[in-house]
Amino acid sequence: MARPEILFPLFANAITLPGIGPKSAQALERLGIGKVVDLLFHIPHGLIDRRQRDSLVGIDPGEVVTVAVIIGQHRRGRSETQPYRVVVEGGGLLFEVVYFRAKADWIERLLPQGERRVISGKVEFFDGRLQMTHPELVLTEADAKTMAPFEPVYPLTQGLAQRQLRKAVTGALGKAPDMPEWLRKDMLEQKAWPSWTDALRQIHEPQGAQTLAPGAPARARLAYDELLSHQLALMLARASMQRGKGQGNAGDGELRKRAATAFGFPPTGAQAKALEQIEADMRSALRMLRLLQGDVGSGKTWVALMALLIAVEAGGQGALMAPTEILARQHAKGLEPLAEAAGVAITLLTGRDKGAARREKLAAIAEGGTGIVIGTHALFQSSVAFHDLRLAVIDEQHRFGVRQRMELTAKAPAGCDVLVMTATPIPRTLALAGYGDLDISVLDEKPPGRQPIETRLISTERYLDVVERLGQAIARGDRAYWVCPLVEESDRSAMIAAEDRFRDLQTRFGAAAALVHGQMPPDEKDAAMARFQSGEAQILVATTVIEVGVDVPEATIMVIEQAEMFGLAQLHQLRGRVGRGAGRSSCLLMFSPPLGATARARLEMMRETEDGFRIAEEDLRLRGAGDVLGTAQSGLPRFKIADLERDTGLMEAARDDARLVMHSDPTLRGERGKALKTLLYLMDRDASIQLLKIG
Ligand code: ADP
Ligand code: MG
């Protein structure tokens, strides 16, 4: 389906608007505004009150005031550089209007002595007297009557003036057609929301500060439109991904029983519940698209193994994809004994497998000789052909957006069930925004017997104390991680920092120190990890490579340098590398003073709690949504009007609404469905439109 005709004027280039030429169009581009519709969604961030005042007595300097005045004497400056002053009387005061470097005859025409004018501008005190320098507006009383009482103020960029932008927005408003109503009537009535066009008018022609308040009906409606279109797009994407599985994957539980016995611990309640949900999804003829969300150490691997075994019990294969090679190896190593107990062969396939060994593995995967395949993303990209892949488990993929996930799912053979696992606890609104296309299981309970981790903040100025205590710990046989930050998002600088730190610790502790970072050749990386795992090395200096999932239960100390540079979720991940064994663990967050208030609050939050969900909520509050998941890669949509932190209620409502639509009119053919399609086009939810054949 092509874009509905009714939207054509809105998708015209902004340059077609009054006041916008090639230069200002370029400036608009910098604000992300290319089309008329973008301008409509460019919401004012404030307004100027232009209502006339009767009295200026007690006015605060810096305020913008509008007042009718009688124009008095003109006082020219004695030289070019001196200001031109005009005495006026208004608002119960005598004060001066001041001009610098202005032509006298122009001012004489603008402010003729003895006449009345309405002037508007910022007032200040100079030498204890009120004055207004360069009024923004000078109007006759007749013109002043037609002036808008409130003037919207827009975010600007260089090369664009407020007045210009306002003019363009007014032009854009004139092009806004009456849309078919895509919201439910009962909802509009209950919330007293205006129509789409009226909402835009209210926002751009505000009638007071309350029009722009977060809870104002106009803003709420536009935010809801945005959230609804997003949720609907996700669900349409989901529906298209879910089609065509054909067969259900059910097993007799025999393999699972054997693996569980070998594991030796009963599952936690949360693990059992998540597995039940997965089992039901896999048994269904619709493709499973599920997110397993569980804090560090909540036991996601067990759930993944059981799901993989269901695939094998059903007569097929399961694949587990890890984000790094280290993790793929670790998964393989950890799962091997359990799979073996179940009598299921595991194959580890990474980019490092070459030649005959690789061919042999590929053959085993293609012929079905192996039940479980573990690897990195290369699993679904290269020449790997599965005999009968029934389930793809994607571990730790919180860095992947919806689109990447869809691509992955598309690469997995048609109909294969998909389980995405993330160790980043995500506040529910973010989960809905970023993962609304998935069902969600939560592991909100940890296996018993965990010791709390003692977390301390310490200034880098006390580096030598830290090293000394580290020395004592090592002498007792403890093992420690030492994490260096990622400076400026560059792997290279992180590597340099880590190498420097490593050299220093090596001088002090010799072979007890090992180094691992992302730029190392794979063999060296493995060797370092192995030395740390075996205890031959007791200090592992690392970049955030170790963030995701490394499991060395004997490690009990985590030192993080420049902790203030990390996100809370990341710190939480890193801290989760310790406290995995029987020993008491500690985490040292080193910071470079002075710490700002927010930075301190964030680090103190880490000290206060180990609850990943609480930390995530706090991170969201302190940093905003984009940063919590790492903006670019997070897959989080960038909303123009909605605010994920504030509009949680609207988000939930939009979710339910979209669900109902999908239930009653999944192809959007009904009356409301058609209107919703217009909304999808309007909001440029291209994922839903390009990827789905909903026309
Ligand atoms: P995650 O991947 O969620 O961070 P893991 O799957 O690595 O967590 O599990 C963390 C640790 O808890 C592992 O050592 C694992 O063997 C152990 N574990 C998992 N489930 C249980 C359970 N039900 N009872 C006891 N220990 C468990
Ligand atoms: Mg894990």
Side-chain angles (χ1 to χ4, degrees):
M1 188 183 114
R3 182 182 294 144
E5 234 168 88
I6 190 173
L7 297 180
F8 285 4
L10 295 178
F11 279 79
N13 201 305
I15 205 164
T16 58
L17 290 168
I20 301 300
K23 272 252 170 62
S24 38
Q26 254 177 24
L28 282 177
E29 285 288 347
R30 280 201 295 278
L31 292 171
I33 299 171
K35 307 204 168 64
V36 172
V37 62
D38 302 329
L39 208 58
L40 291 176
F41 290 134
H42 192 59
I43 301 298
H45 59 190
L47 47 73
I48 301 172
D49 184 345
R50 296 274 187 211
R51 286 175 301 178
Q52 279 187 43
R53 309 203 190 204
D54 296 331
S55 167
L56 294 186
V57 180
I59 207 87
D60 288 321
E63 246 184 277
V64 171
V65 302
T66 305
V67 63
V69 296
I70 297 173
I71 298 153
Q73 203 186 2
H74 283 230
R75 295 180 187 149
R76 284 171 192 240
R78 254 166 277 121
S79 71
E80 275 285 292
T81 53
Q82 285 201 323
Y84 188 119
R85 299 171 176 276
V86 182
V87 181
V88 299
E89 188 195 342
L93 293 176
L94 261 185
F95 62 100
E96 286 180 346
V97 176
V98 182
Y99 289 92
F100 292 90
R101 276 186 293 278
K103 287 229 159 51
D105 52 346
W106 176 75
I107 299 176
E108 274 158 15
R109 260 181 284 127
L110 189 70
L111 294 167
Q113 191 166 352
E115 291 195 19
R116 287 175 69 90
R117 289 288 183 273
V118 173
I119 62 173
S120 185
K122 203 177 272 178
V123 288
E124 305 122 347
F125 284 98
F126 185 76
D127 270 350
R129 295 201 334 250
L130 196 69
Q131 68 175 37
M132 184 186 289
T133 308
H134 295 205
E136 293 158 27
L137 298 171
V138 176
L139 304 170
T140 62
E141 290 197 295
D143 284 348
K145 287 214 176 70
T146 63
M147 178 178 62
F150 296 94
E151 208 169 85
V153 179
Y154 295 95
L156 287 178
T157 180
Q158 248 204 347
L160 202 66
Q162 202 56 255
R163 200 175 298 219
Q164 222 177 348
L165 194 53
R166 256 181 235 134
K167 193 165 164 197
V169 169
T170 307
L173 275 176
K175 293 190 174 207
D178 281 331
M179 295 286 195
E181 184 53 77
W182 45 72
L183 296 189
R184 287 196 337 251
K185 273 201 195 66
D186 56 328
M187 184 161 195
L188 284 175
E189 269 163 31
Q190 189 221 328
K191 306 247 189 199
W193 282 349
S195 73
W196 182 76
T197 324
D198 283 345
L200 286 172
R201 259 184 222 121
Q202 288 178 21
I203 292 256
H204 292 293
E205 295 163 0
Q207 294 303 309
Q210 75 283 355
T211 326
L212 297 179
R219 199 207 69 91
R221 189 228 145 100
L222 296 177
Y224 187 78
D225 283 347
E226 203 173 21
L227 294 169
L228 177 63
S229 68
H230 174 65
Q231 283 300 313
L232 198 55
L234 285 176
M235 281 183 205
L236 287 163
R238 169 188 165 81
S240 97
M241 286 193 291
Q242 269 195 321
R243 277 193 286 270
K245 175 178 164 190
Q247 86 215 86
N249 294 316
D252 58 7
E254 197 46 46
L255 300 179
R256 275 171 279 167
K257 204 193 293 165
R258 282 188 238 154
T261 309
F263 184 60
F265 303 100
T268 64
Q271 282 173 319
K273 185 168 155 222
L275 184 60
E276 247 171 59
Q277 293 168 332
I278 290 167
E279 218 184 330
D281 281 1
M282 289 182 73
R283 196 182 300 122
S284 135
L286 281 180
R287 181 184 225 186
M288 170 167 77
L289 296 167
R290 185 169 284 277
L291 175 74
L292 178 62
Q293 210 194 340
D295 207 344
V296 191
S298 58
K300 289 184 293 297
T301 320
W302 182 89
V303 178
L305 174 67
M306 292 299 149
L308 292 165
L309 289 176
I310 294 177
V312 181
E313 283 171 14
Q317 294 166 301
L320 171 57
M321 191 184 94
T324 65
E325 245 181 79
I326 292 184
L327 279 171
R329 260 159 225 292
Q330 192 179 283
H331 273 314
K333 196 164 149 241
L335 294 185
E336 211 125 57
L338 301 178
E340 196 172 299
V344 175
I346 286 191
T347 298
L348 172 69
L349 185 74
T350 73
R352 264 189 268 167
D353 293 304
K354 298 263 149 59
R358 181 177 173 86
R359 277 196 298 278
E360 212 170 283
K361 286 184 177 182
L362 287 176
I365 296 169
E367 283 150 25
T370 190
I372 296 176
V373 186
I374 299 177
T376 53
H377 60 286
L379 263 191
F380 295 144
Q381 283 178 348
S382 56
S383 49
V384 186
F386 288 86
H387 177 62
D388 183 9
L389 185 65
R390 302 286 184 90
L391 169 70
V393 181
I394 303 169
D395 191 16
E396 316 274 11
Q397 289 297 356
H398 62 275
R399 282 139 215 277
F400 278 82
V402 178
R403 186 174 284 273
Q404 285 92 326
R405 229 164 30 237
M406 286 172 91
E407 279 163 11
L408 257 180
T409 333
K411 285 205 176 81
C416 144
D417 283 318
V418 177
L419 180 67
V420 180
M421 305 200 291
T422 168
T424 308
I426 309 165
R428 188 173 152 77
T429 12
L430 288 198
L432 286 185
Y435 298 96
D437 54 331
L438 305 174
D439 292 307
I440 301 180
S441 296
V442 181
L443 295 185
D444 50 5
E445 176 188 359
K446 292 200 183 170
R450 299 204 155 241
Q451 300 237 27
I453 301 169
E454 195 195 329
T455 301
R456 269 170 298 167
L457 311 187
I458 191 161
S459 155
T460 39
E461 284 161 0
R462 294 181 53 202
Y463 172 72
L464 290 178
D465 294 344
V466 174
V467 171
E468 191 189 317
R469 279 218 297 240
L470 187 63
Q472 292 161 3
I474 294 226
R476 286 195 302 268
D478 291 350
R479 264 179 254 177
Y481 294 101
W482 188 297
V483 179
C484 300
L486 201 65
V487 190
E488 292 167 356
E489 298 283 319
S490 125
D491 257 4
R492 212 182 133 63
S493 52
M495 172 192 81
I496 292 167
E499 278 177 342
D500 281 354
R501 185 56 70 228
F502 170 65
R503 264 191 294 277
D504 186 52
L505 293 175
Q506 198 182 30
T507 329
R508 294 165 199 270
F509 303 116
L515 172 68
V516 59
H517 60 67
Q519 317 250 311
M520 262 161 114
D523 309 352
E524 281 180 40
K525 227 189 284 182
D526 281 0
M529 284 303 304
R531 281 179 52 220
F532 186 62
Q533 236 144 7
S534 72
E536 192 192 325
Q538 289 174 274
I539 305 170
L540 185 67
V541 180
T543 56
T544 42
V545 171
I546 59 156
E547 177 192 349
V548 273
V550 169
D551 193 19
V552 180
E554 296 86 357
T556 53
I557 300 169
M558 169 64 65
V559 181
I560 304 174
E561 275 195 73
Q562 292 193 30
E564 73 274 14
M565 304 211 10
F566 291 90
L568 279 186
Q570 212 177 5
L571 287 176
H572 178 66
Q573 288 281 313
L574 287 168
R575 181 169 62 183
R577 299 304 110 212
V578 297
R580 308 193 136 222
R584 278 195 74 83
S585 294
S586 61
C587 174
L588 236 56
L589 302 176
M590 293 180 76
F591 61 88
S592 313
L595 267 189
T598 307
R600 174 160 291 275
R602 291 175 59 232
L603 292 185
E604 269 166 9
M605 186 73 200
M606 290 300 298
R607 195 170 56 187
E608 227 166 79
T609 181
E610 275 184 61
D611 180 338
F613 281 95
R614 239 191 98 193
I615 289 174
E617 299 277 359
E618 189 65 11
D619 209 15
L620 174 62
R621 200 176 66 72
L622 291 172
R623 290 201 304 165
D627 286 338
V628 172
L629 296 185
T631 10
Q633 314 101 315
S634 70
L636 266 190
R638 253 170 298 161
F639 291 116
K640 292 181 180 129
I641 299 160
D643 174 337
L644 286 182
E645 184 192 324
R646 211 167 41 196
D647 293 327
T648 48
L650 290 182
M651 174 67 108
E652 296 280 353
R655 166 85 164 173
D656 292 345
D657 200 350
R659 273 228 164 98
L660 277 173
V661 171
M662 290 305 290
H663 193 69
S664 60
D665 185 12
T667 52
L668 305 182
R669 278 173 223 269
E671 194 190 336
R672 185 176 182 217
K674 281 190 199 138
L676 282 166
K677 232 188 280 182
T678 309
L679 173 66
L680 288 174
Y681 276 103
L682 175 71
M683 299 308 236
D684 228 358
R685 296 289 174 213
D686 56 337
S688 61
I689 292 156
Q690 284 164 22
L691 292 164
L692 315 169
K693 294 141 205 125
I694 57 166

